[in-house]
Amino acid sequence: MAIELATEYGKVFVTDEVIAVLAGSAALDCYGLVGMASRNQLKDGIAELLRRDNLSRGVEVHRDEQGLMAIDLYIVVSYGTKISVVAHNVQTKVKYVLNDVAGLKVENVNIFVSGVRVAQ
């Protein structure tokens, strides 16, 4: 389902896939994040690390009846970093990019840490 944004020039439709790619790209810019993890670990087995071409696989977009959006991010954190600080930085960056840059209304950004890895 696409979000409809009305501008003075016409309408813009933004799909959930585009929102997921924007959120994943914003998250990967944060220090302490090794990469995105698979959303469905039971199906995929262990948490596989996803590269830039698979950003949307580590992101889920949820919308309620009022149009408010919640984003779930499944991440892998770098060993030696404070997980709570990395999670807070990812939440802040994703919410900023989606709210202020893309003009979308994001209510919550939920972080699920799927693993810790040594950064290369």
Side-chain angles (χ1 to χ4, degrees):
M1 181 178 198
I3 294 176
E4 181 180 331
L5 302 172
T7 66
E8 60 188 57
Y9 302 111
K11 295 180 181 178
V12 177
F13 296 94
V14 182
T15 64
D16 288 347
E17 182 72 20
V18 171
I19 296 168
V21 170
L22 283 172
S25 177
L28 280 181
D29 287 342
C30 295
Y31 176 78
L33 190 71
V34 176
M36 306 299 287
S38 177
R39 294 185 300 229
N40 192 352
Q41 291 181 13
L42 295 176
K43 177 183 166 194
D44 295 337
I46 61 171
E48 67 178 89
L49 195 60
L50 304 176
R51 295 184 188 89
R52 283 205 178 267
D53 56 340
N54 293 325
L55 288 177
S56 62
R57 284 186 51 201
V59 181
E60 287 182 351
V61 179
H62 306 285
R63 265 183 265 139
D64 62 6
E65 299 80 32
Q66 291 84 24
L68 296 176
M69 207 177 328
I71 307 291
D72 293 342
L73 292 167
Y74 296 83
I75 64 172
V76 178
V77 178
S78 176
Y79 179 79
T81 58
K82 193 168 182 180
I83 294 173
S84 61
V85 172
V86 173
H88 181 264
N89 289 342
V90 171
Q91 285 175 321
T92 304
K93 176 79 176 199
V94 169
K95 196 166 186 177
Y96 168 75
V97 166
L98 291 178
N99 284 342
D100 295 341
V101 176
L104 305 171
K105 302 290 185 212
V106 177
E107 187 69 22
N108 296 320
V109 177
N110 304 311
I111 304 295
F112 297 92
V113 179
S114 298
V116 176
R117 297 225 176 137
V118 176
Q120 297 178 354

